[in-house]
Coordinates of all heavy atoms in Angstrom, one line a residue:
M18 N -17.5 55.2 -233.1 CA -18.8 54.9 -233.5 C -18.8 53.6 -234.3 O -18.1 53.5 -235.3 CB -19.5 56.0 -234.2 CG -20.8 55.7 -234.9 SD -21.6 57.0 -235.8 CE -20.5 57.2 -237.2
A19 N -19.6 52.6 -234.0 CA -19.6 51.4 -234.8 C -20.8 51.4 -235.7 O -21.8 52.0 -235.4 CB -19.7 50.1 -233.8
I20 N -20.6 50.8 -236.9 CA -21.7 50.6 -237.8 C -22.0 49.2 -238.0 O -21.1 48.3 -238.1 CB -21.2 51.2 -239.2 CG1 -20.9 52.7 -239.1 CG2 -22.2 50.9 -240.3 CD1 -20.3 53.3 -240.3
Y21 N -23.3 48.8 -238.0 CA -23.8 47.5 -238.1 C -24.8 47.4 -239.2 O -25.7 48.2 -239.3 CB -24.5 47.0 -236.8 CG -23.6 47.1 -235.6 CD1 -23.6 48.3 -234.8 CD2 -22.9 46.0 -235.2 CE1 -22.8 48.3 -233.7 CE2 -22.1 46.0 -234.0 CZ -22.0 47.2 -233.3 OH -21.3 47.3 -232.2
K22 N -24.5 46.5 -240.2 CA -25.4 46.3 -241.3 C -25.7 44.8 -241.5 O -24.8 44.0 -241.4 CB -24.8 46.8 -242.6 CG -24.6 48.3 -242.7 CD -25.8 49.0 -243.1 CE -25.5 50.5 -243.2 NZ -26.5 51.3 -243.7
N23 N -27.0 44.5 -241.7 CA -27.4 43.1 -242.0 C -27.9 43.1 -243.5 O -28.7 44.0 -243.9 CB -28.5 42.6 -241.1 CG -28.0 42.3 -239.7 OD1 -27.0 41.6 -239.6 ND2 -28.6 42.9 -238.7
I24 N -27.4 42.2 -244.3 CA -27.8 42.1 -245.7 C -28.3 40.7 -246.0 O -27.6 39.7 -245.6 CB -26.5 42.4 -246.6 CG1 -26.0 43.8 -246.2 CG2 -26.9 42.3 -248.0 CD1 -24.6 44.1 -246.8
S25 N -29.4 40.6 -246.6 CA -30.0 39.2 -246.9 C -30.5 39.1 -248.3 O -31.4 38.3 -248.5 CB -31.1 39.0 -245.9 OG -32.1 39.9 -246.0
S26 N -29.9 39.9 -249.2 CA -30.2 39.7 -250.6 C -29.0 40.1 -251.5 O -28.2 40.8 -251.0 CB -31.4 40.5 -251.0 OG -31.1 41.9 -250.8
P27 N -29.0 39.6 -252.8 CA -28.0 40.0 -253.7 C -28.1 41.5 -254.0 O -29.1 41.9 -254.6 CB -28.1 39.1 -254.9 CG -29.4 38.4 -254.7 CD -29.9 38.7 -253.3
T28 N -27.2 42.3 -253.5 CA -27.3 43.8 -253.6 C -26.0 44.5 -253.4 O -25.0 43.9 -253.0 CB -28.4 44.3 -252.6 OG1 -28.7 45.7 -252.9 CG2 -27.9 44.2 -251.2
T29 N -26.0 45.8 -253.7 CA -24.9 46.6 -253.4 C -25.4 47.6 -252.3 O -26.4 48.3 -252.5 CB -24.4 47.5 -254.6 OG1 -23.9 46.5 -255.6 CG2 -23.3 48.4 -254.2
T30 N -24.6 47.6 -251.2 CA -25.0 48.4 -250.0 C -23.9 49.4 -249.7 O -22.8 49.0 -249.6 CB -25.3 47.5 -248.8 OG1 -26.3 46.6 -249.1 CG2 -25.7 48.3 -247.6
T31 N -24.3 50.7 -249.5 CA -23.3 51.7 -249.1 C -23.2 51.6 -247.6 O -24.2 51.7 -246.9 CB -23.7 53.1 -249.5 OG1 -23.8 53.1 -251.0 CG2 -22.8 54.1 -249.0
L32 N -22.0 51.4 -247.1 CA -21.7 51.2 -245.7 C -21.4 52.6 -245.0 O -21.8 52.9 -244.0 CB -20.6 50.2 -245.5 CG -20.9 48.8 -246.0 CD1 -19.6 48.0 -245.9 CD2 -22.0 48.1 -245.2
I33 N -20.6 53.4 -245.7 CA -20.2 54.7 -245.3 C -20.4 55.6 -246.6 O -19.7 55.4 -247.6 CB -18.8 54.8 -244.7 CG1 -18.7 53.9 -243.5 CG2 -18.4 56.3 -244.5 CD1 -17.2 53.9 -242.9
A34 N -21.3 56.6 -246.5 CA -21.6 57.4 -247.6 C -20.6 58.6 -247.7 O -20.1 59.1 -246.7 CB -23.0 58.0 -247.5
K35 N -20.2 58.8 -248.9 CA -19.3 60.0 -249.3 C -19.9 61.3 -248.7 O -21.1 61.6 -249.0 CB -19.1 60.1 -250.8 CG -18.2 61.2 -251.2 CD -17.8 61.1 -252.6 CE -18.9 61.4 -253.6 NZ -18.4 61.5 -254.9
G36 N -19.1 62.0 -247.9 CA -19.6 63.3 -247.4 C -20.6 63.1 -246.3 O -21.2 64.1 -245.8
G37 N -20.9 62.0 -245.8 CA -21.8 61.7 -244.7 C -21.2 62.0 -243.4 O -20.1 62.5 -243.2
L38 N -22.0 61.6 -242.3 CA -21.5 61.8 -241.0 C -20.6 60.8 -240.5 O -19.8 61.1 -239.6 CB -22.8 61.8 -240.1 CG -23.8 62.9 -240.3 CD1 -25.0 62.7 -239.4 CD2 -23.2 64.3 -240.1
A39 N -20.5 59.6 -241.0 CA -19.6 58.6 -240.6 C -18.2 58.9 -241.1 O -18.0 59.4 -242.2 CB -20.1 57.2 -241.0
S40 N -17.2 58.5 -240.3 CA -15.9 58.8 -240.6 C -15.2 57.6 -241.4 O -15.6 56.4 -241.2 CB -15.0 59.0 -239.3 OG -13.7 59.0 -239.6
G41 N -14.2 57.9 -242.2 CA -13.5 56.9 -242.9 C -12.3 56.3 -242.1 O -11.5 55.6 -242.6
K42 N -12.2 56.8 -240.8 CA -11.2 56.3 -239.9 C -11.6 54.9 -239.4 O -12.3 54.9 -238.3 CB -10.9 57.3 -238.9 CG -10.3 58.5 -239.4 CD -10.0 59.6 -238.4 CE -9.5 60.8 -239.1 NZ -9.6 62.0 -238.3
I43 N -11.2 53.9 -240.0 CA -11.7 52.5 -239.6 C -10.5 51.7 -239.0 O -9.4 51.7 -239.6 CB -12.2 51.8 -240.9 CG1 -13.4 52.6 -241.5 CG2 -12.6 50.4 -240.6 CD1 -13.8 52.1 -242.8
K44 N -10.8 51.0 -237.9 CA -9.8 50.1 -237.3 C -10.0 48.7 -237.7 O -9.1 47.9 -237.9 CB -9.8 50.2 -235.8 CG -9.4 51.6 -235.3 CD -9.4 51.7 -233.8 CE -9.0 53.0 -233.4 NZ -9.1 53.2 -232.0
K45 N -11.3 48.3 -237.9 CA -11.6 46.9 -238.2 C -12.9 46.8 -238.9 O -13.9 47.5 -238.6 CB -11.7 46.1 -236.9 CG -12.0 44.6 -237.0 CD -12.3 43.9 -235.7 CE -11.0 43.5 -235.0 NZ -11.2 42.7 -233.8
I46 N -13.0 45.9 -239.9 CA -14.2 45.5 -240.6 C -14.4 44.0 -240.4 O -13.5 43.2 -240.7 CB -14.2 45.8 -242.1 CG1 -14.0 47.3 -242.3 CG2 -15.5 45.3 -242.8 CD1 -13.8 47.7 -243.7
T47 N -15.6 43.6 -239.9 CA -15.9 42.1 -239.7 C -17.0 41.8 -240.6 O -18.1 42.5 -240.6 CB -16.2 41.8 -238.3 OG1 -15.1 42.2 -237.5 CG2 -16.5 40.3 -238.1
I48 N -16.9 40.8 -241.5 CA -18.0 40.4 -242.4 C -18.3 38.9 -242.1 O -17.4 38.1 -242.2 CB -17.6 40.6 -243.9 CG1 -17.2 42.0 -244.1 CG2 -18.8 40.2 -244.8 CD1 -16.6 42.2 -245.5
A49 N -19.5 38.6 -241.7 CA -19.9 37.2 -241.3 C -20.9 36.7 -242.2 O -21.9 37.4 -242.5 CB -20.3 37.2 -239.9
N50 N -20.7 35.5 -242.8 CA -21.7 34.8 -243.6 C -22.5 33.9 -242.6 O -21.9 32.9 -242.2 CB -21.1 34.0 -244.7 CG -22.2 33.3 -245.6 OD1 -23.3 33.3 -245.2 ND2 -21.8 32.7 -246.6
K51 N -23.7 34.3 -242.1 CA -24.4 33.5 -241.1 C -25.2 32.4 -241.7 O -25.7 31.6 -240.9 CB -25.3 34.5 -240.4 CG -24.6 35.6 -239.7 CD -25.5 36.5 -238.9 CE -26.6 37.1 -239.7 NZ -27.5 38.0 -239.0
A52 N -25.2 32.3 -243.0 CA -26.0 31.2 -243.6 C -25.5 29.8 -243.3 O -24.2 29.7 -243.1 CB -26.0 31.3 -245.1
T53 N -26.3 28.8 -243.2 CA -25.8 27.5 -242.8 C -25.5 26.6 -244.0 O -24.8 25.6 -243.9 CB -26.9 26.7 -242.0 OG1 -28.1 26.7 -242.7 CG2 -27.1 27.4 -240.6
A54 N -26.0 27.0 -245.2 CA -25.7 26.2 -246.4 C -25.3 27.0 -247.7 O -24.9 26.4 -248.7 CB -26.9 25.3 -246.7
T55 N -25.4 28.3 -247.6 CA -25.2 29.1 -248.9 C -23.9 29.9 -248.8 O -23.7 30.7 -247.9 CB -26.4 30.1 -249.1 OG1 -27.6 29.3 -249.0 CG2 -26.3 30.8 -250.4
S56 N -23.1 29.8 -249.8 CA -21.9 30.6 -250.0 C -22.3 32.0 -250.5 O -23.4 32.2 -251.0 CB -20.9 30.0 -250.9 OG -20.4 28.8 -250.4
N57 N -21.4 33.0 -250.4 CA -21.7 34.3 -250.8 C -20.4 35.0 -251.3 O -19.4 35.0 -250.6 CB -22.3 35.2 -249.7 CG -23.1 36.4 -250.2 OD1 -22.9 36.9 -251.3 ND2 -24.1 36.8 -249.4
E58 N -20.4 35.5 -252.6 CA -19.2 36.2 -253.0 C -19.4 37.7 -252.6 O -20.5 38.2 -252.9 CB -19.1 36.1 -254.5 CG -17.9 36.9 -255.1 CD -17.8 36.9 -256.6 OE1 -18.4 36.0 -257.2 OE2 -17.1 37.8 -257.1
I59 N -18.4 38.2 -252.0 CA -18.5 39.6 -251.5 C -17.4 40.4 -252.2 O -16.4 39.9 -252.5 CB -18.4 39.8 -250.0 CG1 -17.1 39.3 -249.4 CG2 -19.6 39.1 -249.3 CD1 -16.3 40.4 -249.0
L60 N -17.8 41.7 -252.4 CA -16.9 42.7 -253.0 C -16.9 43.9 -252.1 O -18.0 44.5 -252.0 CB -17.2 43.0 -254.4 CG -16.4 44.2 -255.0 CD1 -15.0 43.9 -255.1 CD2 -17.0 44.5 -256.4
L61 N -15.9 44.2 -251.4 CA -15.8 45.4 -250.6 C -14.9 46.4 -251.3 O -13.8 46.1 -251.7 CB -15.2 45.1 -249.2 CG -15.2 46.2 -248.2 CD1 -16.6 46.5 -247.7 CD2 -14.4 45.7 -247.0
E62 N -15.4 47.7 -251.5 CA -14.7 48.6 -252.4 C -15.0 50.0 -252.0 O -16.0 50.4 -251.4 CB -15.0 48.4 -253.8 CG -16.5 48.6 -254.2 CD -16.9 48.3 -255.5 OE1 -16.0 47.9 -256.3 OE2 -18.1 48.2 -255.8
L63 N -14.0 50.9 -252.4 CA -14.2 52.4 -252.4 C -14.7 52.8 -253.7 O -14.2 52.4 -254.7 CB -12.9 53.0 -252.0 CG -12.3 52.7 -250.7 CD1 -11.0 53.4 -250.5 CD2 -13.2 53.0 -249.5
F64 N -15.8 53.7 -253.7 CA -16.4 54.1 -254.9 C -16.6 55.6 -254.9 O -17.1 56.2 -254.0 CB -17.8 53.4 -255.0 CG -18.6 53.7 -256.2 CD1 -18.3 53.2 -257.4 CD2 -19.8 54.5 -256.1 CE1 -19.0 53.5 -258.6 CE2 -20.5 54.7 -257.2 CZ -20.2 54.2 -258.5
D65 N -16.1 56.2 -256.0 CA -16.1 57.7 -256.0 C -17.4 58.3 -256.6 O -17.5 59.5 -256.7 CB -14.9 58.2 -256.8 CG -14.9 57.9 -258.3 OD1 -15.9 57.4 -258.8 OD2 -14.0 58.3 -258.9
G66 N -18.4 57.5 -256.9 CA -19.6 57.9 -257.5 C -19.8 57.8 -258.9 O -20.8 57.8 -259.5
S67 N -18.6 57.6 -259.7 CA -18.7 57.5 -261.1 C -18.0 56.2 -261.6 O -18.4 55.7 -262.6 CB -18.1 58.7 -261.8 OG -16.7 58.8 -261.5
S68 N -17.0 55.8 -260.9 CA -16.3 54.5 -261.3 C -15.7 53.9 -260.0 O -15.4 54.5 -259.1 CB -15.2 54.8 -262.3 OG -14.2 55.6 -261.8
T69 N -15.7 52.6 -260.1 CA -15.0 51.9 -259.0 C -13.6 52.2 -258.9 O -12.9 52.1 -259.9 CB -15.2 50.3 -259.1 OG1 -16.6 50.1 -259.1 CG2 -14.6 49.6 -257.9
T70 N -13.1 52.6 -257.7 CA -11.7 53.1 -257.7 C -10.7 52.1 -257.0 O -9.6 52.0 -257.4 CB -11.7 54.5 -257.1 OG1 -12.3 54.4 -255.8 CG2 -12.3 55.5 -257.9
H71 N -11.2 51.5 -255.9 CA -10.2 50.7 -255.1 C -11.0 49.5 -254.6 O -11.9 49.6 -253.8 CB -9.6 51.4 -254.0 CG -8.8 52.7 -254.4 ND1 -7.6 52.6 -255.0 CD2 -9.1 53.9 -254.3 CE1 -7.2 53.8 -255.3 NE2 -8.1 54.7 -254.9
T72 N -10.5 48.3 -254.9 CA -11.1 47.1 -254.3 C -10.3 46.8 -253.0 O -9.1 46.7 -253.0 CB -10.9 45.9 -255.3 OG1 -11.7 46.1 -256.4 CG2 -11.5 44.6 -254.6
I73 N -11.0 46.6 -251.9 CA -10.4 46.3 -250.6 C -10.4 44.8 -250.4 O -9.4 44.2 -250.0 CB -11.2 47.0 -249.5 CG1 -11.1 48.5 -249.6 CG2 -10.7 46.5 -248.1 CD1 -12.1 49.2 -248.7
A74 N -11.5 44.1 -250.8 CA -11.5 42.6 -250.7 C -12.5 42.1 -251.6 O -13.6 42.7 -251.8 CB -11.9 42.2 -249.2
R75 N -12.2 41.0 -252.3 CA -13.2 40.3 -253.1 C -12.9 38.8 -252.9 O -11.8 38.3 -253.0 CB -12.9 40.6 -254.6 CG -13.9 39.8 -255.5 CD -13.7 40.1 -256.9 NE -15.0 39.9 -257.6 CZ -15.5 40.8 -258.4 NH1 -14.9 41.9 -258.6 NH2 -16.7 40.6 -258.9
T76 N -13.9 38.1 -252.3 CA -13.7 36.7 -252.0 C -15.1 35.9 -251.9 O -16.1 36.5 -251.8 CB -13.0 36.6 -250.5 OG1 -12.6 35.2 -250.3 CG2 -13.9 37.1 -249.4
D77 N -15.0 34.6 -252.0 CA -16.1 33.7 -251.8 C -16.1 33.4 -250.4 O -15.1 32.8 -249.8 CB -16.0 32.5 -252.7 CG -16.2 32.8 -254.2 OD1 -17.2 33.5 -254.5 OD2 -15.5 32.2 -255.0
M78 N -17.2 33.6 -249.7 CA -17.4 33.3 -248.3 C -18.2 32.0 -248.1 O -19.4 32.0 -248.4 CB -17.9 34.4 -247.5 CG -17.0 35.6 -247.4 SD -17.6 36.9 -246.3 CE -17.5 36.0 -244.7
P79 N -17.6 30.9 -247.7 CA -18.4 29.7 -247.4 C -19.4 30.0 -246.3 O -19.3 30.9 -245.5 CB -17.4 28.7 -247.0 CG -16.1 29.2 -247.4 CD -16.2 30.7 -247.5
P80 N -20.4 29.1 -246.1 CA -21.4 29.3 -245.0 C -20.6 29.3 -243.7 O -19.6 28.6 -243.5 CB -22.3 28.1 -245.1 CG -22.0 27.5 -246.5 CD -20.7 28.0 -246.9
K81 N -21.2 30.0 -242.7 CA -20.7 30.0 -241.3 C -19.2 30.4 -241.2 O -18.5 29.8 -240.5 CB -20.9 28.7 -240.6 CG -22.4 28.3 -240.6 CD -22.7 27.1 -239.7 CE -22.4 25.8 -240.5 NZ -22.8 24.6 -239.7
T82 N -18.8 31.4 -242.0 CA -17.4 31.9 -241.9 C -17.5 33.4 -241.6 O -18.4 34.1 -241.9 CB -16.7 31.7 -243.2 OG1 -17.3 32.3 -244.3 CG2 -16.5 30.2 -243.5
T83 N -16.3 33.9 -241.1 CA -16.2 35.4 -240.9 C -14.8 35.8 -241.4 O -13.8 35.2 -241.3 CB -16.2 35.6 -239.4 OG1 -17.4 35.1 -238.8 CG2 -16.0 37.1 -239.0
L84 N -14.9 37.0 -242.1 CA -13.7 37.6 -242.6 C -13.4 38.9 -241.8 O -14.3 39.7 -241.5 CB -13.9 38.1 -244.0 CG -12.8 38.9 -244.7 CD1 -11.6 38.1 -244.9 CD2 -13.4 39.4 -246.1
V85 N -12.2 39.0 -241.2 CA -11.8 40.1 -240.4 C -10.7 40.9 -241.1 O -9.7 40.3 -241.4 CB -11.3 39.7 -239.0 CG1 -10.9 40.9 -238.2 CG2 -12.4 38.9 -238.3
L86 N -10.9 42.2 -241.4 CA -9.9 43.0 -241.9 C -9.5 44.1 -240.9 O -10.3 44.7 -240.3 CB -10.5 43.7 -243.2 CG -11.1 42.8 -244.2 CD1 -11.9 43.6 -245.2 CD2 -10.0 42.1 -244.9
E87 N -8.2 44.2 -240.7 CA -7.7 45.1 -239.7 C -6.5 46.0 -240.1 O -6.0 46.7 -239.2 CB -7.2 44.2 -238.5 CG -8.3 43.4 -237.8 CD -7.7 42.6 -236.6 OE1 -6.9 41.7 -236.8 OE2 -8.1 43.0 -235.5
D88 N -6.1 46.0 -241.3 CA -4.9 46.7 -241.7 C -5.1 47.7 -242.8 O -5.7 47.3 -243.9 CB -3.8 45.8 -242.0 CG -2.4 46.4 -242.0 OD1 -2.2 47.5 -241.4 OD2 -1.5 45.8 -242.7
N89 N -4.7 49.0 -242.7 CA -4.8 49.9 -243.8 C -6.2 50.1 -244.4 O -6.4 50.0 -245.6 CB -3.9 49.5 -245.0 CG -2.4 49.5 -244.5 OD1 -2.0 50.4 -243.9 ND2 -1.7 48.5 -244.9
L90 N -7.2 50.4 -243.5 CA -8.6 50.5 -243.9 C -9.1 51.9 -243.9 O -10.2 52.1 -244.6 CB -9.4 49.7 -242.9 CG -9.2 48.2 -242.9 CD1 -9.9 47.5 -241.7 CD2 -9.5 47.5 -244.2
S91 N -8.4 52.8 -243.4 CA -8.9 54.2 -243.4 C -8.9 54.8 -244.8 O -8.1 54.5 -245.6 CB -8.0 55.1 -242.5 OG -8.2 54.7 -241.1
F92 N -9.8 55.7 -245.0 CA -10.0 56.3 -246.4 C -10.6 57.7 -246.2 O -11.1 58.0 -245.1 CB -10.8 55.5 -247.3 CG -12.3 55.4 -246.9 CD1 -13.2 56.2 -247.5 CD2 -12.7 54.5 -246.0 CE1 -14.5 56.1 -247.2 CE2 -14.0 54.4 -245.6 CZ -14.9 55.2 -246.2
N93 N -10.5 58.5 -247.2 CA -11.1 59.9 -247.2 C -12.6 59.8 -247.5 O -13.0 59.6 -248.7 CB -10.3 60.8 -248.2 CG -10.8 62.2 -248.1 OD1 -11.9 62.5 -247.7 ND2 -9.9 63.1 -248.6
E94 N -13.4 59.9 -246.5 CA -14.8 59.8 -246.7 C -15.4 61.0 -247.5 O -16.6 61.0 -247.8 CB -15.5 59.6 -245.3 CG -15.6 60.8 -244.5 CD -14.3 61.0 -243.7 OE1 -13.3 60.3 -243.8 OE2 -14.3 62.0 -242.9
N95 N -14.6 62.0 -247.7 CA -15.1 63.2 -248.5 C -15.0 62.8 -250.0 O -15.6 63.5 -250.9 CB -14.4 64.4 -248.2 CG -14.7 64.9 -246.8 OD1 -15.9 65.0 -246.5 ND2 -13.7 65.2 -246.0
L96 N -14.2 61.8 -250.4 CA -14.0 61.4 -251.8 C -14.6 60.1 -252.2 O -15.0 59.9 -253.4 CB -12.4 61.3 -252.1 CG -11.6 62.6 -251.9 CD1 -10.2 62.3 -252.1 CD2 -12.1 63.7 -252.8
F97 N -14.8 59.2 -251.2 CA -15.3 57.9 -251.5 C -16.4 57.4 -250.7 O -16.6 57.8 -249.5 CB -14.1 56.9 -251.4 CG -12.9 57.2 -252.2 CD1 -11.8 57.7 -251.6 CD2 -12.9 56.9 -253.5 CE1 -10.6 57.9 -252.4 CE2 -11.8 57.2 -254.3 CZ -10.7 57.7 -253.7
N98 N -17.3 56.5 -251.2 CA -18.2 55.7 -250.5 C -17.5 54.4 -250.2 O -16.7 53.9 -251.1 CB -19.5 55.4 -251.3 CG -20.3 56.6 -251.7 OD1 -20.7 57.4 -250.8 ND2 -20.6 56.7 -253.0
L99 N -17.8 53.8 -249.1 CA -17.4 52.4 -248.8 C -18.6 51.6 -249.0 O -19.7 51.9 -248.4 CB -16.9 52.3 -247.4 CG -16.6 50.8 -247.0 CD1 -15.4 50.3 -247.8 CD2 -16.3 50.7 -245.4
R100 N -18.5 50.6 -249.9 CA -19.7 49.8 -250.2 C -19.4 48.3 -250.4 O -18.2 48.0 -250.6 CB -20.4 50.3 -251.5 CG -19.7 50.1 -252.8 CD -20.4 50.7 -254.0 NE -19.9 50.3 -255.2 CZ -20.4 50.6 -256.4 NH1 -21.5 51.3 -256.5 NH2 -19.8 50.1 -257.5
I101 N -20.4 47.5 -250.2 CA -20.2 46.0 -250.3 C -21.3 45.5 -251.3 O -22.4 46.0 -251.3 CB -20.3 45.4 -249.0 CG1 -20.0 43.9 -249.0 CG2 -21.7 45.6 -248.3 CD1 -19.8 43.2 -247.7
T102 N -20.8 44.6 -252.1 CA -21.7 43.9 -253.1 C -21.7 42.5 -252.7 O -20.7 41.9 -252.5 CB -21.3 44.1 -254.5 OG1 -21.2 45.5 -254.8 CG2 -22.2 43.4 -255.5
T103 N -22.9 41.9 -252.6 CA -23.1 40.4 -252.4 C -23.9 39.8 -253.5 O -24.6 40.5 -254.2 CB -23.9 40.2 -251.0 OG1 -25.2 40.8 -251.2 CG2 -23.1 40.8 -249.9
N104 N -23.7 38.5 -253.7 CA -24.3 37.9 -254.9 C -25.3 36.8 -254.6 O -25.7 36.0 -255.4 CB -23.2 37.3 -255.9 CG -22.6 36.1 -255.4 OD1 -22.7 35.7 -254.2 ND2 -21.9 35.3 -256.2
S105 N -25.7 36.6 -253.3 CA -26.7 35.6 -252.9 C -27.5 36.1 -251.8 O -27.3 37.2 -251.2 CB -26.0 34.3 -252.6 OG -25.5 34.3 -251.2
A106 N -28.5 35.3 -251.5 CA -29.5 35.7 -250.4 C -28.9 35.2 -249.0 O -29.7 35.3 -248.0 CB -30.8 35.1 -250.7
A107 N -27.7 34.7 -248.9 CA -27.1 34.3 -247.6 C -27.1 35.6 -246.7 O -26.8 36.7 -247.1 CB -25.8 33.8 -247.8
D108 N -27.4 35.3 -245.4 CA -27.4 36.4 -244.5 C -25.9 36.8 -244.1 O -25.2 36.0 -243.7 CB -28.1 36.0 -243.2 CG -29.6 35.9 -243.3 OD1 -30.1 36.7 -244.1 OD2 -30.2 35.1 -242.6
I109 N -25.7 38.1 -244.4 CA -24.3 38.7 -244.1 C -24.5 39.8 -243.1 O -25.4 40.6 -243.1 CB -23.8 39.3 -245.4 CG1 -23.6 38.3 -246.5 CG2 -22.5 40.1 -245.2 CD1 -22.4 37.4 -246.2
T110 N -23.6 39.8 -242.1 CA -23.5 40.8 -241.1 C -22.2 41.5 -241.3 O -21.2 40.9 -241.4 CB -23.7 40.4 -239.7 OG1 -25.0 39.8 -239.5 CG2 -23.5 41.5 -238.7
V111 N -22.2 42.9 -241.4 CA -21.0 43.7 -241.5 C -20.9 44.6 -240.3 O -21.9 45.3 -239.9 CB -21.0 44.6 -242.8 CG1 -19.7 45.4 -242.8 CG2 -21.2 43.7 -244.0
I112 N -19.8 44.6 -239.6 CA -19.5 45.4 -238.4 C -18.3 46.3 -238.8 O -17.2 45.7 -239.1 CB -19.3 44.7 -237.1 CG1 -20.6 43.8 -236.8 CG2 -19.0 45.6 -236.0 CD1 -20.3 42.8 -235.7
I113 N -18.4 47.6 -238.6 CA -17.3 48.5 -238.9 C -17.0 49.2 -237.6 O -17.9 49.9 -237.0 CB -17.6 49.5 -240.0 CG1 -17.9 48.7 -241.3 CG2 -16.4 50.5 -240.2 CD1 -18.4 49.6 -242.4
K114 N -15.7 49.2 -237.1 CA -15.3 49.9 -235.9 C -14.1 50.8 -236.2 O -13.3 50.5 -237.1 CB -15.0 49.0 -234.8 CG -16.2 48.2 -234.3 CD -15.8 47.3 -233.2 CE -17.0 46.6 -232.6 NZ -16.8 45.7 -231.5

């Protein structure tokens, strides 16, 4: 099952909710900054509900770039939320497979 999220504002978005139906067995995460002129700082992390526990990726994404993560991504979805935080209104697309 693939998950697709579009984000177009500075926000924190839960991609896979703790205890939800989606599995933490992830093969690939693709994050694309579709903006033509705006950079976006992204933070992808596992969150246990009370404190940030594990940072997966934190980077500045220039316009028209894509970040692909493919290694050691699986996690226990009963213990953690997978969430992303963005800091600009640049259009971001996240695909999780």
Side-chain angles (χ1 to χ4, degrees):
M18 173 179 68
I20 297 170
Y21 301 89
K22 294 277 185 176
N23 289 308
I24 303 165
S25 60
S26 63
T28 189
T29 298
T30 302
T31 298
L32 301 169
I33 296 177
K35 177 169 72 170
L38 297 176
S40 171
K42 295 177 182 159
I43 298 171
K44 294 181 181 177
K45 181 188 277 189
I46 300 174
T47 304
I48 304 169
N50 182 355
K51 301 184 300 181
T53 57
T55 307
S56 293
N57 202 333
E58 180 182 340
I59 62 107
L60 170 63
L61 185 67
E62 62 189 350
L63 298 177
F64 181 69
D65 69 2
S67 62
S68 64
T69 301
T70 55
H71 302 285
T72 298
I73 298 169
R75 180 180 210 130
T76 190
D77 288 317
M78 293 189 66
K81 299 189 279 185
T82 60
T83 300
L84 174 66
V85 179
L86 304 169
E87 297 183 290
D88 195 24
N89 297 316
L90 298 172
S91 293
F92 68 97
N93 187 336
E94 71 278 1
N95 293 312
L96 299 176
F97 301 105
N98 294 308
L99 176 65
R100 68 184 194 175
I101 188 168
T102 301
T103 59
N104 76 343
S105 80
D108 286 330
I109 296 287
T110 295
V111 180
I112 302 171
I113 301 172
K114 293 184 177 181

